[in-house]
Amino acid sequence: RMEGPDDEYILIREMSLDARGGPLSTPERPPLAAYFGRILGGVGRNWRAGLENKYSLRNRAYLGPTSMDAELSLVMTNLARVEGSGSGCVAFDPFVGTGSILLACGLRGARCVGTDIDL
């Protein structure tokens, strides 16, 4: 294992799934696709360590029928390049629901604004 690497890389394999949602991985059935890239966001090797569990749907006081998973929200904010408030980043969610996306934006330091219809 390297000590203090300058860059981190990731390999993601897209797999077919069986009826129970498990990967179908055999020599006869290779991955559908493979993606290799350099990790750009985050602070070091364990930048996401514990966030999935800390903000898990199971730990929320309220869940709606369409609550987004915490890990997906963190990935979306990473792709959107949400940054801290010093950069002037404002996140607006017009359909905030249970707030999964705004929670992840707030964790990255953005100013968050959300609206929703209340029936």
Side-chain angles (χ1 to χ4, degrees):
R1 182 165 258 215
M2 292 178 63
E3 298 279 330
D6 292 330
D7 294 313
E8 288 185 60
Y9 296 91
I10 189 167
L11 175 65
I12 300 172
R13 295 178 301 163
E14 186 175 347
M15 309 293 288
S16 298
L17 301 178
D18 62 18
R20 297 174 62 195
L24 288 173
S25 177
T26 62
E28 302 84 38
R29 186 165 250 199
L32 299 173
Y35 306 97
F36 180 78
R38 184 169 60 126
I39 296 176
L40 299 175
V43 183
R45 181 166 300 280
N46 296 318
W47 71 273
R48 237 179 28 173
L51 288 180
E52 298 92 10
N53 293 329
K54 185 175 181 181
Y55 298 102
S56 171
L57 293 178
R58 291 175 295 198
N59 299 333
R60 295 211 186 153
Y62 172 77
L63 279 180
T66 59
S67 294
M68 183 179 292
D69 187 61
E71 186 172 10
L72 181 57
S73 300
L74 291 166
V75 168
M76 289 175 64
T77 56
N78 190 33
L79 289 172
R81 297 183 180 158
V82 174
E83 297 177 353
S85 58
S87 66
C89 186
V90 176
F92 173 66
D93 187 353
F95 307 105
V96 71
T98 57
S100 298
I101 293 175
L102 290 184
L103 175 65
C105 290
L107 287 172
R108 292 183 171 272
R111 294 188 59 203
C112 300
V113 179
T115 61
D116 209 331
I117 185 171
D118 190 13
L119 297 175

